[in-house]
Amino acid sequence: MRGKFIRGVLILFVLLCLNGMEGHAEIAGDSALKDLQWNQVYEEPRNGGVVQSVCATEYYIITLENMADNPDVPDIVSAYYRKKTDEEGNPVTPYTLAKRVQNREWEHCNGMTYNPNTNEIYVALYTNTIAENRGCLYVMDPDTLDYKRTIKISDDYNILGIDYLKDSDQYVIQTNVEGGYSFKILNADFAIAEDLGEYAHTAEGNNFQDLAVSGDYILNFPLTLGLGIGDYIHMYSISRREMVAAEPLDFGFEGVNADEPESLCELEPGFFLAVVNVTTEGQESMMRLYQTLVPYNLTFAPVKADSPVEEEQKQPSAESRKQHQGVNEKKNHIPVKKVLIVMAAAAVALIILLVVYSYVLRIRRERKRRERERRRRRRMAAEAVRAHELEDYSI
């Protein structure tokens, strides 16, 4: 009972500490991708194609394997369990295959992202072996893994990668060479809201894979296969409109002759998943999933209730980002580790206080029990004396 009480007080303590506070996590600066440790979490043989993209829904990790740049050859969509239970609560093993379909061609399927609000997956095609697919996205049903419809973005270029911005309900795409490998922001209706510019001249490699967005940063893998310079990961700042880091990647390969990082997505704040195609020394063609933890900062601020007018006006734009850039750069960010240490120290102090209080209560209860016992004994002794006196009197 005491354990439940202590746990309840601890939960109440945390809620009181964070009540009225809003937490915000973001990548801890331009050097956060330096010396990342990647851990392999899954591996399986490829089915004759190349796994080009990955994204995550609430319960599944979805991959697309391009079997051929041929409209007559269907590609493979696979769903792997993301958690220890499926959507019905049944126990499962994370990263094991849940379902797989091969019923249509998804072009090159170079990138994709999941929008939990619409419950749809958007696929960046990259190629258009089918002429009308130029500059389009395919829409996938995440439950059935089937095609739903096509969205036209532009007739001037194809799309290499895409990611969904949950906070602003927008999308970031990267165009192919015909669009200058530029990054663009799309609104919720897939219209271009902002052009972030071209950065190919600053990049490692001469083409690009899929991308992922986290806060102010766009991350992507440049295509360096065959260049002899190894693998890299890029980091671009949206607010500053520049590439801020190009870090070498080390997946810790053993017995691998060739590899190509293709796509990445963020599973939880700071936890990224990458899909990598490898060819082993034994000439096996494998798909591997690697996970890494990127250093993050966590800040807390009082929750501010926006009025309906403020809510309508709260539309992100390039101008507002420029105006607030200087202010944002001066914010005092508290690293997650420090926040957790402070909270842990407070929790330990509270536990000690509760243990001492419990000890004092136990001593008081024991004293009261002993006092009641002494009174009971005195009462029994007095009753025995009276009984003895009555007995003598009757004689």
Side-chain angles (χ1 to χ4, degrees), residues 4-281:
K4 292 182 178 179
F5 172 72
I6 292 175
R7 285 195 298 271
V9 173
L10 284 175
I11 294 172
L12 178 62
F13 169 75
V14 172
L15 291 176
L16 287 174
C17 287
L18 299 182
N19 185 34
M21 303 293 287
E22 185 177 50
H24 175 67
E26 59 185 6
I27 292 179
D30 297 352
S31 61
L33 302 185
K34 188 176 181 62
D35 300 324
L36 289 180
Q37 301 296 313
W38 294 87
N39 300 310
Q40 181 181 324
V41 294
Y42 184 72
E43 176 187 56
E44 72 174 20
R46 303 204 302 267
N47 299 284
V50 177
V51 179
Q52 298 287 357
S53 54
V54 65
C55 73
T57 66
E58 183 178 358
Y59 290 99
Y60 298 100
I61 293 166
I62 312 294
T63 65
L64 259 167
E65 183 173 357
N66 179 32
M67 301 303 292
D69 287 331
N70 184 330
D72 297 325
V73 179
D75 300 316
I76 296 177
V77 188
S78 301
Y80 305 88
Y81 292 114
R82 177 178 172 181
K83 303 178 180 180
K84 293 183 179 180
T85 57
D86 61 16
E87 64 267 44
E88 297 178 354
N90 301 313
V92 294
T93 302
Y95 298 111
T96 56
L97 183 66
K99 48 190 171 182
R100 173 171 285 160
V101 300
Q102 185 178 9
N103 54 19
R104 71 165 286 117
E105 204 266 347
W106 294 86
E107 291 284 354
H108 198 75
C109 50
N110 203 67
M112 61 180 172
T113 190
Y114 172 67
N115 183 337
N117 297 323
T118 61
N119 192 36
E120 292 180 329
I121 293 173
Y122 304 100
V123 181
L125 308 185
Y126 182 29
T127 58
N128 61 297
T129 55
I130 302 173
E132 57 265 30
N133 284 340
R134 180 172 174 79
C136 288
L137 300 171
Y138 276 155
V139 182
M140 181 192 299
D141 186 315
D143 301 316
T144 63
L145 307 183
D146 290 332
Y147 166 85
K148 293 182 67 175
R149 67 184 188 280
T150 298
I151 299 173
K152 171 70 79 171
I153 304 299
S154 174
D155 288 315
D156 299 327
Y157 49 75
N158 280 313
I159 301 169
L160 283 169
I162 184 171
D163 200 11
Y164 174 65
L165 309 179
K166 184 177 180 180
D167 291 342
S168 60
D169 193 24
Q170 295 176 312
Y171 303 85
V172 171
I173 64 170
Q174 185 173 22
T175 71
N176 70 341
V177 63
E178 295 166 308
Y181 295 118
S182 62
F183 293 114
K184 302 180 190 298
I185 295 179
L186 310 180
N187 64 20
D189 297 321
F190 298 94
I192 297 175
E194 190 174 351
D195 192 324
L196 300 178
E198 304 173 11
Y199 306 96
H201 60 285
T202 66
E204 302 290 343
N206 51 23
N207 205 331
F208 301 91
Q209 314 283 13
D210 192 16
L211 62 88
V213 181
S214 183
D216 184 51
Y217 294 110
I218 301 172
L219 313 181
N220 73 0
F221 293 137
L223 178 59
T224 59
L225 185 66
L227 297 181
I229 61 174
D231 299 321
Y232 280 81
I233 185 170
H234 286 167
M235 178 189 284
Y236 303 84
S237 170
I238 295 176
S239 63
R240 285 172 280 166
R241 296 195 176 196
E242 62 179 355
M243 187 172 79
V244 297
E247 300 291 349
L249 287 172
D250 182 7
F251 291 103
F253 292 132
E254 293 183 2
V256 172
N257 280 343
D259 73 281
E260 186 177 9
E262 290 284 355
S263 180
L264 74 165
C265 64
E266 191 171 18
L267 299 178
E268 304 290 347
F271 285 93
F272 286 84
L273 185 74
V275 59
V276 184
N277 294 286
V278 303
T279 302
T280 67
E281 292 176 349

Side-chain angles (χ1 to χ4, degrees), residues 243-393:
M243 187 172 79
V244 297
E247 300 291 349
L249 287 172
D250 182 7
F251 291 103
F253 292 132
E254 293 183 2
V256 172
N257 280 343
D259 73 281
E260 186 177 9
E262 290 284 355
S263 180
L264 74 165
C265 64
E266 191 171 18
L267 299 178
E268 304 290 347
F271 285 93
F272 286 84
L273 185 74
V275 59
V276 184
N277 294 286
V278 303
T279 302
T280 67
E281 292 176 349
Q283 298 304 306
E284 294 179 297
S285 298
M286 309 295 292
M287 181 277 286
R288 291 180 178 177
L289 296 177
Y290 288 85
Q291 192 177 73
T292 191
L293 175 61
V294 175
Y296 254 52
N297 284 334
L298 180 65
T299 57
F300 290 99
V303 176
K304 180 177 179 256
D306 294 325
S307 67
V309 175
E310 290 175 328
E311 193 66 33
E312 291 179 3
Q313 295 175 346
K314 194 173 61 178
Q315 290 295 332
S317 66
E319 189 63 30
S320 63
R321 277 196 295 272
K322 290 178 182 178
Q323 291 174 355
H324 296 289
Q325 178 183 344
V327 177
N328 291 337
E329 289 176 349
K330 295 178 182 178
K331 284 183 179 179
N332 293 322
H333 297 292
I334 305 175
V336 175
K337 186 176 181 180
K338 290 184 179 180
V339 174
L340 294 178
I341 289 174
V342 172
M343 293 181 65
V348 170
L350 183 61
I351 290 174
I352 293 173
L353 179 63
L354 291 173
V355 170
V356 172
Y357 180 64
S358 177
Y359 177 71
V360 172
L361 287 179
R362 188 165 64 251
I363 291 177
R364 289 180 177 177
R365 285 196 296 267
E366 181 63 19
R367 286 178 178 174
K368 290 181 180 180
R369 186 190 67 79
R370 290 178 180 177
E371 181 64 24
R372 287 196 300 269
E373 183 65 19
R374 283 195 296 268
R375 290 176 181 174
R376 187 181 67 83
R377 289 177 179 176
R378 285 198 297 268
R379 187 173 62 252
M380 292 178 64
E383 291 175 353
V385 170
R386 286 196 297 270
H388 182 70
E389 290 175 348
L390 291 173
E391 184 179 350
D392 290 345
Y393 179 79

